[in-house]
PDB file of all heavy atoms in Angstrom:
ATOM      1  N   VAL A1409      10.174  16.380  27.669  1.00 96.00           N
ATOM      2  CA  VAL A1409      10.476  17.559  28.454  1.00 96.00           C
ATOM      3  C   VAL A1409      11.407  18.462  27.740  1.00 96.00           C
ATOM      4  O   VAL A1409      12.110  18.108  26.813  1.00 96.00           O
ATOM      5  CB  VAL A1409      11.092  17.102  29.793  1.00 96.00           C
ATOM      6  CG1 VAL A1409      10.101  16.301  30.613  1.00 96.00           C
ATOM      7  CG2 VAL A1409      12.373  16.302  29.550  1.00 96.00           C
ATOM      8  N   THR A1410      11.357  19.748  28.120  1.00 97.00           N
ATOM      9  CA  THR A1410      12.235  20.754  27.509  1.00 97.00           C
ATOM     10  C   THR A1410      13.688  20.310  27.472  1.00 97.00           C
ATOM     11  O   THR A1410      14.229  19.815  28.493  1.00 97.00           O
ATOM     12  CB  THR A1410      12.063  22.074  28.313  1.00 97.00           C
ATOM     13  OG1 THR A1410      10.750  22.505  28.286  1.00 97.00           O
ATOM     14  CG2 THR A1410      12.999  23.151  27.687  1.00 97.00           C
ATOM     15  N   GLY A1411      14.314  20.439  26.271  1.00 96.00           N
ATOM     16  CA  GLY A1411      15.751  20.201  26.119  1.00 96.00           C
ATOM     17  C   GLY A1411      16.163  18.755  25.805  1.00 96.00           C
ATOM     18  O   GLY A1411      17.288  18.514  25.530  1.00 96.00           O
ATOM     19  N   LYS A1412      15.222  17.829  25.824  1.00 97.00           N
ATOM     20  CA  LYS A1412      15.567  16.476  25.530  1.00 97.00           C
ATOM     21  C   LYS A1412      15.406  16.204  24.042  1.00 97.00           C
ATOM     22  O   LYS A1412      14.334  16.146  23.521  1.00 97.00           O
ATOM     23  CB  LYS A1412      14.647  15.489  26.348  1.00 97.00           C
ATOM     24  CG  LYS A1412      15.064  14.053  26.227  1.00 97.00           C
ATOM     25  CD  LYS A1412      14.197  13.197  27.129  1.00 97.00           C
ATOM     26  CE  LYS A1412      14.616  11.741  26.997  1.00 97.00           C
ATOM     27  NZ  LYS A1412      13.721  10.851  27.823  1.00 97.00           N
ATOM     28  N   LYS A1413      16.534  15.933  23.408  1.00 97.00           N
ATOM     29  CA  LYS A1413      16.509  15.784  21.958  1.00 97.00           C
ATOM     30  C   LYS A1413      15.617  14.619  21.530  1.00 97.00           C
ATOM     31  O   LYS A1413      15.467  13.593  22.166  1.00 97.00           O
ATOM     32  CB  LYS A1413      17.963  15.398  21.462  1.00 97.00           C
ATOM     33  CG  LYS A1413      18.115  15.250  19.950  1.00 97.00           C
ATOM     34  CD  LYS A1413      19.514  14.902  19.582  1.00 97.00           C
ATOM     35  CE  LYS A1413      19.664  14.668  18.069  1.00 97.00           C
ATOM     36  NZ  LYS A1413      21.070  14.398  17.690  1.00 97.00           N
ATOM     37  N   LEU A1414      14.912  14.890  20.356  1.00 97.00           N
ATOM     38  CA  LEU A1414      14.031  13.858  19.837  1.00 97.00           C
ATOM     39  C   LEU A1414      14.005  13.915  18.279  1.00 97.00           C
ATOM     40  O   LEU A1414      14.331  14.863  17.697  1.00 97.00           O
ATOM     41  CB  LEU A1414      12.581  14.081  20.350  1.00 97.00           C
ATOM     42  CG  LEU A1414      11.814  15.306  19.939  1.00 97.00           C
ATOM     43  CD1 LEU A1414      11.018  15.054  18.707  1.00 97.00           C
ATOM     44  CD2 LEU A1414      10.925  15.791  21.051  1.00 97.00           C
ATOM     45  N   THR A1415      13.641  12.765  17.724  1.00 98.00           N
ATOM     46  CA  THR A1415      13.582  12.565  16.269  1.00 98.00           C
ATOM     47  C   THR A1415      12.216  12.058  15.902  1.00 98.00           C
ATOM     48  O   THR A1415      11.766  11.053  16.543  1.00 98.00           O
ATOM     49  CB  THR A1415      14.651  11.736  15.714  1.00 98.00           C
ATOM     50  OG1 THR A1415      15.871  12.320  16.067  1.00 98.00           O
ATOM     51  CG2 THR A1415      14.513  11.526  14.211  1.00 98.00           C
ATOM     52  N   VAL A1416      11.495  12.650  14.992  1.00 98.00           N
ATOM     53  CA  VAL A1416      10.300  12.104  14.444  1.00 98.00           C
ATOM     54  C   VAL A1416      10.638  11.555  13.067  1.00 98.00           C
ATOM     55  O   VAL A1416      11.134  12.285  12.227  1.00 98.00           O
ATOM     56  CB  VAL A1416       9.214  13.138  14.352  1.00 98.00           C
ATOM     57  CG1 VAL A1416       7.887  12.506  13.872  1.00 98.00           C
ATOM     58  CG2 VAL A1416       8.942  13.861  15.729  1.00 98.00           C
ATOM     59  N   THR A1417      10.331  10.307  12.813  1.00 98.00           N
ATOM     60  CA  THR A1417      10.761   9.721  11.555  1.00 98.00           C
ATOM     61  C   THR A1417       9.591   9.845  10.565  1.00 98.00           C
ATOM     62  O   THR A1417       8.399   9.947  10.930  1.00 98.00           O
ATOM     63  CB  THR A1417      11.090   8.211  11.669  1.00 98.00           C
ATOM     64  OG1 THR A1417       9.884   7.513  12.121  1.00 98.00           O
ATOM     65  CG2 THR A1417      12.201   8.059  12.697  1.00 98.00           C
ATOM     66  N   CYS A1418       9.901   9.917   9.301  1.00 98.00           N
ATOM     67  CA  CYS A1418       8.965   9.931   8.183  1.00 98.00           C
ATOM     68  C   CYS A1418       9.532   9.088   7.030  1.00 98.00           C
ATOM     69  O   CYS A1418      10.713   9.221   6.680  1.00 98.00           O
ATOM     70  CB  CYS A1418       8.748  11.345   7.691  1.00 98.00           C
ATOM     71  SG  CYS A1418       7.743  11.483   6.222  1.00 98.00           S
ATOM     72  N   SER A1419       8.677   8.244   6.544  1.00 98.00           N
ATOM     73  CA  SER A1419       9.092   7.378   5.511  1.00 98.00           C
ATOM     74  C   SER A1419       7.940   7.253   4.469  1.00 98.00           C
ATOM     75  O   SER A1419       6.793   7.182   4.802  1.00 98.00           O
ATOM     76  CB  SER A1419       9.388   5.947   5.996  1.00 98.00           C
ATOM     77  OG  SER A1419       9.949   5.144   4.991  1.00 98.00           O
ATOM     78  N   GLN A1420       8.334   7.221   3.150  1.00 97.00           N
ATOM     79  CA  GLN A1420       7.380   7.036   2.142  1.00 97.00           C
ATOM     80  C   GLN A1420       7.875   5.963   1.133  1.00 97.00           C
ATOM     81  O   GLN A1420       9.068   5.744   0.943  1.00 97.00           O
ATOM     82  CB  GLN A1420       7.065   8.358   1.340  1.00 97.00           C
ATOM     83  CG  GLN A1420       8.328   9.102   0.847  1.00 97.00           C
ATOM     84  CD  GLN A1420       8.788   8.754  -0.547  1.00 97.00           C
ATOM     85  OE1 GLN A1420       8.140   7.949  -1.291  1.00 97.00           O
ATOM     86  NE2 GLN A1420       9.932   9.279  -0.905  1.00 97.00           N
ATOM     87  N   ASN A1421       6.922   5.139   0.607  1.00 96.00           N
ATOM     88  CA  ASN A1421       7.250   3.979  -0.258  1.00 96.00           C
ATOM     89  C   ASN A1421       6.853   4.228  -1.650  1.00 96.00           C
ATOM     90  O   ASN A1421       6.552   3.263  -2.372  1.00 96.00           O
ATOM     91  CB  ASN A1421       6.659   2.718   0.356  1.00 96.00           C
ATOM     92  CG  ASN A1421       5.117   2.762   0.420  1.00 96.00           C
ATOM     93  OD1 ASN A1421       4.529   3.782   0.039  1.00 96.00           O
ATOM     94  ND2 ASN A1421       4.549   1.760   0.908  1.00 96.00           N
TER      95      ASN A1421
END
Side-chain angles (χ1 to χ4, degrees):
Chain A
V1409 295
T1410 298
K1412 187 176 179 183
K1413 181 179 177 180
L1414 67 92
T1415 299
V1416 184
T1417 64
C1418 173
S1419 183
Q1420 50 90 8
N1421 61 0

